[in-house]
Amino acid sequence: REGEMSMKITDVRVICANRSVFCRIDTDEGISGLGESGTWGFLEASARAILVMKEYLVGRDPLDIEHHWQYLYRFSHFRGAAVMGALSAIDIALWDLAGKYYHVPVYRLLGGKCRDQVRVYNHTAGRTEEELIENAKKGVEEGYTALGHLNPYLDEPRTQPYRDGNTAMLYKAERRIARIREAVGEEIDLCLELHRRLEPGLAVQLSARLEPYNPMFLEDPIRPDNFDAMGEVARKCRIPIATGERIHTSHEFEMLLAREACSYVRVSMGVCGGFTGAKKIAAVAEAHHVSLVPHNPLSPVMTNAVLNFAAATDNVAICEYPNPYAASTADHLTVSGVKLRQCDMVDHIPEMKNGYLPVPKEDGIGIELIPDLEERFPFRPHKILTRLNLDGSICDQ
């Protein structure tokens, strides 16, 4: 293998900016690749894991992507979100680098285009019922044909105790989704985000109440730890279930799908192993006649990676599109007031028209960070803060 190398990795760098951790891989031919980790609350740990993996990568041929993926995935015997986030960032950077080396977009290396544009849904946030409805109408006015991250329980501050009992939860959720359906009409898809809030029985009750409003899916109605429990919910609900953003490997997705636990797979390229991991998961899902809804609460760098993946993957139904004009997804959902824009972190972003984003035409993933990123966007790690119920117990949100 050593004698075959025509290009070598010379450096692996971590760039921490805003609420993102990026990986930049440099070579002796002057070509660099860019990737992003998606481990959210453990970005610092993921950044450190990238630097640990650097020891293996420097001096290697960056084009042996599958071999490097298998090596880094299997060498330590242990893995988890921080490790998989690091591997994901490295894998995306290697594919970006390969695209630039061969002078083609990444989707060409993945088999070519299945589509010319990618349908997306937005993040429709609301701290109050009225705000949620107004933002839903605003999303339609902006051209979206699907509204996502619709939380029937609102995006109230995590510092505010949650007060509703089960009955109030059901009635309020039904009322809010009914009002949104009335406000946006029958042609808009509603992608409901339940944030793992419910237990299986209550999730089934809620699904029955929301059936008349025809949501596209219910995302994570219960905590995703038990595949059997999610399978039970999926079998009893007539609204399709979407889940998967919290799991990391094709093996876990196979176990999930073998239990018929979802109709839509929420593969997260920032934690599933990048392009290499996502295409393995897509193949497993295709064998089960299940579509993908890629999870993406990250920066425009990940958005471009997702667009390349979606372009080359037939069984992608729709993609999550974080607001590029907000400081971050967390800032958008909490209305933090931080005066930054993610779109200013990169050299350009795709233009959304009529609910679709164009497939990037540039080499690699087709996007670059601005030169002074870390100075203009100081790193802001997520604080450890979760919501509590009125009695002091944990409330998933």
Side-chain angles (χ1 to χ4, degrees), residues 110-188:
L110 297 175
K113 283 195 295 186
C114 296
R115 51 179 58 84
D116 296 316
Q117 55 185 352
V118 178
R119 190 178 183 220
V120 295
Y121 66 80
N122 72 344
H123 285 161
T124 304
R127 292 167 295 178
T128 67
E129 186 169 316
E130 297 304 323
E131 187 176 61
L132 184 65
I133 294 165
E134 286 304 310
N135 285 337
K137 292 190 289 187
K138 181 180 177 182
V140 175
E141 292 169 0
E142 291 172 350
Y144 288 98
T145 61
L147 305 176
H149 209 282
L150 278 170
N151 182 358
Y153 305 117
L154 307 177
D155 295 295
E156 295 171 329
R158 291 193 176 194
T159 53
Q160 177 180 320
Y162 186 71
R163 298 174 177 272
D164 289 337
N166 288 3
T167 301
M169 289 173 71
L170 291 171
Y171 279 120
K172 288 182 180 180
E174 181 179 9
R175 183 183 70 228
R176 289 162 184 160
I177 300 308
R179 292 187 64 191
I180 290 172
R181 175 56 75 198
E182 181 180 11
V184 303
E186 296 180 350
E187 296 184 359
I188 303 299

Side-chain angles (χ1 to χ4, degrees), residues 18-19 326-327 331 335-341 380:
N18 196 11
R19 293 193 186 274
D331 293 294
V335 194
S336 69
V338 175
K339 302 300 182 182
L340 296 172
R341 303 194 313 169
R380 299 184 297 132

Side-chain angles (χ1 to χ4, degrees), residues 6-258:
S6 60
M7 178 169 53
K8 294 182 180 180
I9 295 172
T10 57
D11 198 8
V12 178
R13 291 183 282 164
V14 172
I15 300 170
C16 299
N18 196 11
R19 293 193 186 274
S20 301
V21 164
F22 303 103
C23 171
R24 185 179 180 91
I25 298 179
D26 300 324
T27 67
D28 58 358
E29 292 196 12
I31 304 173
S32 298
L34 178 65
E36 181 176 3
S37 173
T39 51
W40 196 258
F42 291 96
L43 286 172
E44 300 97 320
S46 192
R48 179 58 189 163
I50 292 172
L51 294 177
V52 171
M53 294 177 184
K54 171 183 176 178
E55 180 182 352
Y56 161 78
L57 288 166
V58 171
R60 308 275 178 177
D61 185 340
L63 301 180
D64 291 333
I65 300 175
E66 176 70 23
H67 180 71
H68 299 327
W69 194 94
Q70 294 288 349
Y71 197 104
L72 294 172
Y73 178 74
R74 293 157 66 177
F75 91 97
S76 70
H77 316 301
F78 295 93
R79 60 188 67 95
V83 173
M84 291 301 295
L87 177 56
S88 300
I90 288 169
D91 183 82
I92 293 168
L94 289 174
W95 280 99
D96 182 39
L97 198 156
K100 293 170 182 173
Y101 179 81
Y102 290 111
H103 302 293
V104 293
V106 168
Y107 69 77
R108 287 290 178 205
L109 303 178
L110 297 175
K113 283 195 295 186
C114 296
R115 51 179 58 84
D116 296 316
Q117 55 185 352
V118 178
R119 190 178 183 220
V120 295
Y121 66 80
N122 72 344
H123 285 161
T124 304
R127 292 167 295 178
T128 67
E129 186 169 316
E130 297 304 323
E131 187 176 61
L132 184 65
I133 294 165
E134 286 304 310
N135 285 337
K137 292 190 289 187
K138 181 180 177 182
V140 175
E141 292 169 0
E142 291 172 350
Y144 288 98
T145 61
L147 305 176
H149 209 282
L150 278 170
N151 182 358
Y153 305 117
L154 307 177
D155 295 295
E156 295 171 329
R158 291 193 176 194
T159 53
Q160 177 180 320
Y162 186 71
R163 298 174 177 272
D164 289 337
N166 288 3
T167 301
M169 289 173 71
L170 291 171
Y171 279 120
K172 288 182 180 180
E174 181 179 9
R175 183 183 70 228
R176 289 162 184 160
I177 300 308
R179 292 187 64 191
I180 290 172
R181 175 56 75 198
E182 181 180 11
V184 303
E186 296 180 350
E187 296 184 359
I188 303 299
D189 281 319
L190 304 182
C191 308
L192 307 189
E193 166 65 273
L194 301 183
H195 287 296
R196 309 156 305 282
R197 180 72 61 88
L198 310 175
E199 297 300 327
L202 193 59
V204 173
Q205 279 186 287
L206 177 65
S207 176
R209 300 193 74 92
L210 297 184
E211 275 185 41
Y213 314 107
N214 293 316
M216 182 175 178
F217 56 74
L218 299 180
E219 181 180 351
D220 283 338
I222 66 173
R223 291 186 297 278
D225 311 272
N226 188 309
F227 298 160
D228 291 324
M230 191 71 76
E232 176 190 353
V233 171
R235 283 189 295 274
K236 293 180 178 179
C237 291
R238 289 162 56 92
I239 299 173
I241 300 299
T243 191
E245 69 185 55
R246 305 285 172 126
I247 58 179
H248 312 124
T249 71
S250 60
H251 311 289
E252 291 171 305
F253 279 98
E254 165 56 28
M255 289 186 281
L256 182 77
L257 292 168

Side-chain angles (χ1 to χ4, degrees), residues 333-389:
L333 295 177
T334 60
V335 194
S336 69
V338 175
K339 302 300 182 182
L340 296 172
R341 303 194 313 169
Q342 292 189 95
C343 60
D344 296 328
M345 299 170 64
V346 293
D347 58 356
H348 73 285
I349 60 170
E351 181 181 359
M352 193 278 293
K353 290 184 179 179
N354 301 319
Y356 288 82
L357 290 176
V359 173
K361 297 179 180 179
E362 300 86 358
D363 294 348
I365 63 172
I367 199 166
E368 298 292 344
L369 299 174
I370 61 173
D372 55 347
L373 178 66
E374 291 171 293
E375 288 72 32
R376 287 183 57 186
F377 290 82
F379 184 55
R380 299 184 297 132
H382 293 280
K383 296 181 179 179
I384 297 178
L385 176 64
T386 197
R387 197 174 186 186
L388 301 178
N389 291 304

